[in-house]
């Protein structure tokens, strides 16, 4: 392996760290953010998290296409610039909704960083080592999430939530300078078709409308309200438009034709089902420890850190193991461990503080299962296509993951009620049961036979 390949992987992984940190860093700051804006509700603040997921999912495919057309390094560095600007905008936001809009801008920056980073790296690795490269790149996200709670608690205690956002700005600027020196631009094919702007609009409208129907329908409008049903119909119609456009456009944002390959569509289905709980569950744990066990920010930060650390370590270990063992078998095992983790908490969670008996096993097991399953799903999908489709597969994988995360967060805020005390415990159990259903569905989907990789079709 060349030193250039490892240096490029390091820089690309740091980009994933930046996005991963900002996707979870503010989970401990929700109450502080709500209190700083007069009249803001929990759902208003929750839109900042959901908006980040929606924006990332919506712009990932477009960013991937732009990277292929005008340069992957250029798009990667543009994403870093947007990330720095949005961090400053978030830190100085005068209202909760300007904060949420700044988070959407940050999501656009993250959407530019993710697909371009992996596409810059994979061609530098031989086929036999790409599972390891994908695993190490994927491990950067949960490792960043592991750093986020503890660092967030320290920053919140010392300087407040605005500094928590601002800290990403100088980091992004420094990464921009390092990437300028280390990364090399790859040749771009000659553009022969127009960008799929119609698909971008339809996908964004569809996801935003569906998340709105879930979040507002559960908390404000009611599930059977005409407004909820109308917004849901708009979302479903936009998705139908998006799928039809993707199948007909000569260069769609998401190449749905790749789903003709069984190994691709099975892994993407499992990826989506796992993704519903993978991000949102890191939000339910801090909320529970704050509201029921009266944990401080530092206690919560340390309490949830064990999960991402285990996830990062297991990602590195099982990605290497997946080069010699059956990757799909490891994915099934990881999905089963996630079911065990969530099920343990559904049964045992109570209002009496018992971190070692109720919270720690769930957090550690969930991190272990995630590291065994999600990064290897991407590796399995990549094995079914040749190198020219790597960017499209990675874009599809990450788009579905963030779209699922947005739906999971919307479900969380729809099911939780603004109540306190033991009467609120049932709502947390509803959320965990919601996650459990999707975890079981993901496990079942992984038993669909896929056979051996076949790159000749699709």
């Amino acid at each position: 392996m060349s030193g250039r390949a490892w240096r490029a992987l390091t820089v690309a992984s740091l980009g994933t760290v930046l996005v991963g940190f900002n996707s979870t860093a503010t989970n401990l700051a929700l109450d502080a953010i709500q209190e700083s804006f007069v009249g803001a509700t929990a759902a208003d603040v929750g839109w900042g998290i959901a908006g980040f997921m929606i924006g990332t999912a919506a712009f990932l495919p477009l960013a991937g296409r732009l990277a292929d057309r005008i340069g992957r390094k250029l798009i990667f560095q543009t994403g870093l610039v947007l990330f720095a600007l949005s961090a400053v905008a978030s830190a100085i936001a005068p209202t909760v909704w300007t904060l949420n809009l700044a988070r959407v801008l940050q999501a656009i920056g993250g959407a530019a960083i993710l697909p371009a980073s992996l596409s810059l790296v994979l061609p530098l690795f031989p086929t036999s080592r790409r599972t390891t490269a994908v695993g190490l790149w994927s491990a950067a996200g949960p490792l960043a999430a592991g750093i986020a709670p503890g660092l967030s608690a320290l920053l919140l205690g010392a300087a407040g939530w605005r500094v928590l956002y601002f800290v990403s700005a100088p980091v992004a600027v420094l990464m921009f300078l390092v990437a300028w020196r280390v990364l090399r631009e790859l040749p771009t094919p000659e553009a022969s078709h127009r960008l799929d702007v119609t698909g971008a609009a339809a996908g964004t409208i569809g996801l935003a409308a569906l998340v709105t129907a879930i979040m507002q329908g559960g908390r404000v409008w009611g599930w059977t309200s005409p407004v909820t049903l109308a917004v849901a119909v708009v979302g479903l119609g936009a998705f139908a438009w998006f799928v039809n456009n993707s199948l007909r456009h000569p260069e769609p944002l998401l190449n749905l034709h790749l789903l003709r390959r069984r190994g691709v569509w099975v892994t993407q289905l499992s990826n989506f089902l796992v993704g519903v709980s993978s991000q949102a569950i890191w939000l339910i744990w801090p909320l529970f420890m704050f509201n029921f066990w009266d944990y401080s920010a530092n206690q919560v930060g340390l309490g949830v850190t064990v999960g991402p650390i285990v996830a990062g370590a297991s990602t590195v270990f099982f990605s290497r193991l997946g080069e010699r063992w059956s990757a799909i078998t490891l994915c099934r095992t990881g999905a089963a461990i996630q079911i065990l983790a969530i099920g343990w908490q559904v049964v045992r969670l109570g209002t009496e503080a018992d971190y070692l008996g109720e919270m720690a096993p769930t957090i550690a097991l969930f991190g272990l299962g995630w590291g065994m399953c999600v990064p290897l799903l991407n590796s399995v999908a990549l094995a079914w296509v040749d190198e020219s489709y790597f960017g499209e597969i990675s874009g599809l994988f990450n788009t579905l993951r963030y779209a699922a995360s947005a739906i999971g967060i919307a479900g969380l805020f729809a099911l939780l009620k603004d109540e306190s005390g033991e009467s609120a415990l049932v709502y947390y159990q509803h959320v965990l049961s919601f996650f459990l259903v999707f975890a079981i569905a993901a496990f079942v989907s992984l038993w669909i036979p896929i056979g051996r990789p076949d790159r000749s079709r699709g």
Side-chain angles (χ1 to χ4, degrees):
M1 290 301 305
S2 68
R4 177 191 168 198
W6 291 113
R7 288 192 297 271
L9 178 60
T10 300
V11 174
S13 298
L14 288 174
T16 308
V17 166
L18 186 65
V19 178
F21 176 85
N22 281 272
S23 66
T24 60
T26 56
N27 288 358
L28 302 185
L30 295 182
D31 287 344
I33 294 172
Q34 183 179 350
E35 291 171 1
S36 66
F37 296 117
V38 177
T41 66
D44 293 338
V45 178
W47 269 109
I49 302 174
F52 184 86
M53 301 301 168
I54 293 171
T56 305
F59 286 96
L60 265 171
L62 182 60
R65 282 297 186 191
L66 286 172
D68 290 338
R69 281 174 173 260
I70 65 177
R72 295 167 182 175
K73 180 179 177 180
L74 175 61
I75 291 299
F76 181 79
Q77 293 196 281
T78 301
L80 291 172
V81 172
L82 289 176
F83 224 89
L85 292 174
S86 62
V88 175
S90 298
I92 63 175
T95 69
V96 67
W97 290 108
T98 53
L99 172 60
N100 291 345
L101 289 174
R103 290 285 282 165
V104 172
L105 177 62
Q106 193 169 60
I108 297 173
I113 291 170
L114 289 174
S117 64
L118 190 58
S119 298
L120 282 166
V121 169
L122 281 182
L124 303 178
F125 283 78
T127 304
S128 61
R129 302 301 302 277
R130 282 173 180 165
T131 299
T132 297
V134 173
L136 292 173
W137 180 84
S138 301
L143 286 175
I147 297 169
L151 181 57
S152 298
L154 292 175
L155 290 173
L156 281 171
W161 66 266
R162 294 184 183 275
V163 173
L164 186 59
Y165 283 112
F166 180 78
V167 72
S168 294
V171 174
V173 171
L174 178 61
M175 284 188 58
F176 177 91
L177 298 175
V178 173
W180 184 273
R181 293 180 58 86
V182 172
L183 297 179
R184 296 183 185 177
E185 189 61 271
L186 298 175
T188 57
E190 183 178 350
S192 57
H193 300 283
R194 292 179 300 172
L195 282 173
D196 185 10
V197 178
T198 300
T204 303
I205 292 170
L207 182 58
L210 184 58
V211 170
T212 301
I214 294 172
M215 188 177 292
Q216 298 297 104
R219 296 185 66 93
V220 182
W221 301 331
W223 294 116
T224 59
S225 164
V227 178
T228 301
L229 297 176
V231 173
V233 168
V234 169
L236 293 174
F239 273 127
W241 181 18
F242 173 80
V243 171
N244 180 66
N245 180 80
S246 297
L247 293 174
R248 297 167 64 90
H249 197 280
E251 287 189 12
L253 289 181
L254 291 183
N255 186 355
L256 300 184
H257 293 288
L258 291 173
L259 296 177
R260 294 173 180 172
R261 309 179 187 196
R262 181 171 294 192
V264 174
W265 74 258
V266 170
T267 53
Q268 300 309 316
L269 173 62
S270 303
N271 169 45
F272 179 84
L273 294 171
V274 170
V276 170
S277 63
S278 290
Q279 191 72 35
I281 203 165
W282 299 104
L283 179 58
I284 194 71
W285 291 329
L287 288 173
F288 186 87
M289 287 188 278
F290 273 133
N291 295 330
F292 284 92
W293 293 354
D294 294 324
Y295 274 24
S296 66
N298 286 330
Q299 287 175 310
V300 173
L302 291 174
V304 299
T305 295
V306 61
I309 290 176
V310 172
S314 66
T315 296
V316 174
F317 177 78
F318 289 109
S319 294
R320 295 295 303 272
L321 194 62
E323 294 178 349
R324 299 186 294 273
W325 286 18
S326 169
I328 199 68
T329 299
L330 292 173
C331 290
R332 291 168 182 162
T333 305
I337 291 174
Q338 287 183 303
I339 293 173
L340 175 62
I342 301 174
W344 176 277
Q345 200 159 66
V346 169
V347 172
R348 292 186 56 90
L349 195 63
T351 56
E352 293 293 328
D354 183 9
Y355 176 77
L356 294 179
E358 297 176 5
M359 196 64 71
T362 297
I363 295 175
L365 282 173
F366 192 88
L368 175 64
W370 189 96
M372 289 181 69
C373 181
V374 176
L376 285 173
L377 284 175
N378 199 16
S379 298
V380 172
L382 288 169
W384 278 75
V385 300
D386 59 43
E387 186 175 306
S388 62
Y389 290 108
F390 280 177
E392 294 178 55
I393 285 291
S394 296
L396 179 62
F397 187 88
N398 284 299
T399 297
L400 289 175
R401 183 162 65 92
Y402 277 94
S405 296
I407 291 172
I409 290 169
L412 183 154
F413 281 104
L415 293 171
L416 283 184
K417 305 300 180 184
D418 295 326
E419 296 185 16
S420 59
E422 291 195 20
S423 62
L425 179 61
V426 65
Y427 300 114
Y428 284 83
Q429 291 172 331
H430 288 166
V431 173
L432 291 168
S433 298
F434 170 71
F435 293 156
L436 182 60
V437 169
F438 279 91
I440 293 171
F443 175 75
V444 172
S445 71
L446 285 167
W447 287 92
I448 300 172
I450 62 174
R452 294 181 178 276
D454 180 5
R455 297 185 177 91
S456 63
R457 297 181 294 109

